[in-house]
Amino acid sequence: MIAGCVENGSVDEAFEYFKAMPERNTESYNAMISGFIRWDKIDEAVKLFEEMPRKNGLYERMPNKNVVAMTAMIMGYFKEGRVEDARVLFDGIRYKDLVCGNAMMTGYAQNGNGEEALKLVKLGIQPDNLTLVSVFTACSGLASVKEGRQIHVLVIKNGFELDLSLCNSLITMYKKCGSIADAEQAFRQTNGAGLVSWNTIISAFAHHGLYEKAVDFFNQMEAVGVKPDGVTFLSLLPACGHAGKVNESMDFFDLMVKKYGIYPRSEHYSCLVDILSRAGQLEKASKIIREMPFEADAGVWGALPAACSIYLNVELGELAAKRIVEWNPHHSGAYVVLFNIYAAAGMWDEVTRVRLQMKEQGVKKQ
């Protein structure tokens, strides 16, 4: 009954059943504590865990604070960012199993303590597939390609090589650590077996300004019959921008819409507007914004002001800055760019007006 209520989200009802039990055992405590943790009732879980009695010689039938309950509490502490409490509890477990070890590694990784997660791996605690994904994420945060390669060896030794989620995490880790050759090798291990893998490697190439590689892999993806999605083009468009490929960016945008029927999101328009603006094609960028099928947000307008300042397009820069401020009145960047545009154009009255407006809004020049 307790497990059923927890599964349906009726935690309070589950607790009523728990309290009504004439005799509670280890399983009932485990189920109730895990239920509290699952539905983010951490304080209730802590209280029940502390109340959970210990088995002793006189009361053999009383439940024991076993590894299941303690692991549930470790996960709960990590959910609230109570990393030290989780570690104290973990250290107090006499016979640690793989589940509690994986809970610790995942918790550390998710709380930005990548080094501690890696230490546990080195101590001999063997992670499972899901935990390895978290550990690779931790390596990405540390930008530690050396540590990442060591964990990669562990993956190979344990026969996890063909696990797609692991390979994708490897690609992302090597991308963030700057080891593109390793990222490509990790991709090869997937045998091109999925859109996510293709998107991840294309993103890696784009992230490091390797336009030709990104496009080459996109062409390979099409050749093997994998249909791209909006995420694919969110990598290709910035790759075009970094390489100064203005016409190619327009071609990819058209390909996305016309061939694949992908409905462009705000991020796609923002990329395109940014590319055109950097190339000085401000009127074309403005035209794209005007013809958008939905209202441009601050992200789209935000791609314009800096270029307007460089190319001294006061009218368009003013419009873009005003639209940004409408979305976010405290956006300092919009005021600063507008300030610079007016100053470059010698429009000192407008400079004074913007300065006063910034003061009224409590915006400080960054």
Side-chain angles (χ1 to χ4, degrees):
M1 289 297 295
I2 292 173
C5 289
V6 168
E7 188 66 28
N8 292 323
S10 304
V11 186
D12 293 336
E13 185 179 351
F15 194 40
E16 290 302 319
Y17 282 116
F18 175 83
K19 290 188 293 184
M21 293 178 67
E23 186 174 297
R24 298 159 194 156
N25 57 20
T26 300
E27 286 72 24
S28 60
Y29 271 97
N30 289 344
M32 197 64 247
I33 291 171
S34 297
F36 280 139
I37 297 297
R38 177 177 175 181
W39 296 100
D40 295 328
K41 291 180 175 286
I42 310 300
D43 291 339
E44 290 88 337
V46 171
K47 184 178 179 182
L48 185 59
F49 179 75
E50 291 174 348
E51 292 174 356
M52 188 176 181
R54 289 186 177 275
K55 185 184 295 183
N56 56 49
L58 295 175
Y59 302 99
E60 282 296 324
R61 296 176 65 189
M62 293 183 72
N64 187 29
K65 287 185 177 178
N66 65 355
V67 68
V68 177
M70 297 176 88
T71 300
M73 284 308 308
I74 287 171
M75 295 167 65
Y77 282 139
F78 275 125
K79 267 190 172 184
E80 288 211 325
R82 296 164 61 177
V83 176
E84 290 302 319
D85 288 335
R87 184 60 194 237
V88 169
L89 197 55
F90 176 74
D91 289 339
I93 300 176
R94 187 174 180 182
Y95 300 107
K96 300 175 176 66
D97 62 10
L98 290 177
V99 178
C100 72
N102 280 287
M104 280 300 298
M105 283 186 279
T106 300
Y108 272 137
Q110 292 176 347
N111 278 271
N113 294 61
E115 292 180 2
E116 294 300 321
L118 294 174
K119 285 179 184 177
L120 290 176
V121 177
K122 291 177 181 179
L123 286 175
I125 297 176
Q126 184 174 327
D128 60 18
N129 290 39
L130 291 175
T131 303
L132 278 170
V133 172
S134 294
V135 173
F136 285 134
T137 302
C139 292
S140 300
L142 295 171
S144 174
V145 69
K146 178 182 176 182
E147 302 285 8
R149 282 176 178 151
Q150 291 176 0
I151 307 301
H152 191 177
V153 170
L154 182 65
V155 171
I156 296 171
K157 284 183 177 180
N158 286 279
F160 295 130
E161 201 67 40
L162 296 179
D163 186 286
L164 271 179
S165 62
L166 284 180
C167 288
N168 292 337
S169 297
L170 271 172
I171 298 168
T172 300
M173 180 199 70
Y174 285 131
K175 158 192 162 183
K176 291 186 176 180
C177 294
S179 184
I180 296 302
D182 285 320
E184 185 172 346
Q185 182 59 37
F187 172 78
R188 299 295 182 195
Q189 293 165 5
T190 70
N191 296 316
L195 175 61
V196 174
S197 300
W198 284 102
N199 281 346
T200 306
I201 190 62
I202 290 171
S203 171
F205 291 134
H207 182 78
H208 288 277
L210 300 174
Y211 167 79
E212 298 294 343
K213 291 284 284 186
V215 173
D216 176 49
F217 271 67
F218 173 74
N219 291 335
Q220 290 183 44
M221 182 177 76
E222 285 191 307
V224 297
V226 177
K227 184 179 178 180
D229 63 1
V231 175
T232 314
F233 291 94
L234 280 177
S235 294
L236 288 170
L237 290 173
C240 292
H242 293 316
K245 304 288 187 179
V246 180
N247 292 333
E248 289 81 352
S249 69
M250 295 294 295
D251 291 340
F252 276 124
F253 191 87
D254 288 341
L255 184 72
M256 176 181 73
V257 176
K258 296 176 181 177
K259 180 176 179 179
Y260 291 107
I262 298 170
Y263 189 77
R265 303 203 307 265
S266 177
E267 294 89 344
H268 295 105
Y269 283 107
S270 180
C271 287
L272 197 56
V273 169
D274 181 65
I275 293 168
L276 292 169
S277 298
R278 289 174 184 271
Q281 299 184 30
L282 295 174
E283 292 305 321
K284 195 170 185 178
S286 175
K287 183 175 184 291
I288 286 175
I289 294 176
R290 292 195 305 270
E291 294 177 353
M292 285 175 57
F294 52 87
E295 184 180 2
D297 60 17
V300 176
W301 285 110
L304 276 175
C308 290
S309 179
I310 294 171
Y311 294 103
L312 287 182
N313 190 321
V314 176
E315 183 179 355
L316 186 56
E318 186 177 42
L319 174 62
K322 285 180 177 178
R323 291 289 183 268
I324 295 169
V325 170
E326 286 175 4
W327 282 89
N328 182 3
H330 300 287
H331 191 291
S332 61
Y335 289 103
V336 172
V337 171
L338 196 55
F339 182 98
N340 292 337
I341 290 173
Y342 287 143
M347 302 170 66
W348 304 112
D349 289 342
E350 294 301 319
V351 168
T352 302
R353 183 182 62 78
V354 172
R355 185 185 287 118
L356 290 173
Q357 195 173 3
M358 290 173 68
K359 186 176 181 180
E360 289 172 0
Q361 293 289 342
V363 176
K364 294 183 179 180
K365 188 173 182 179
Q366 299 295 319

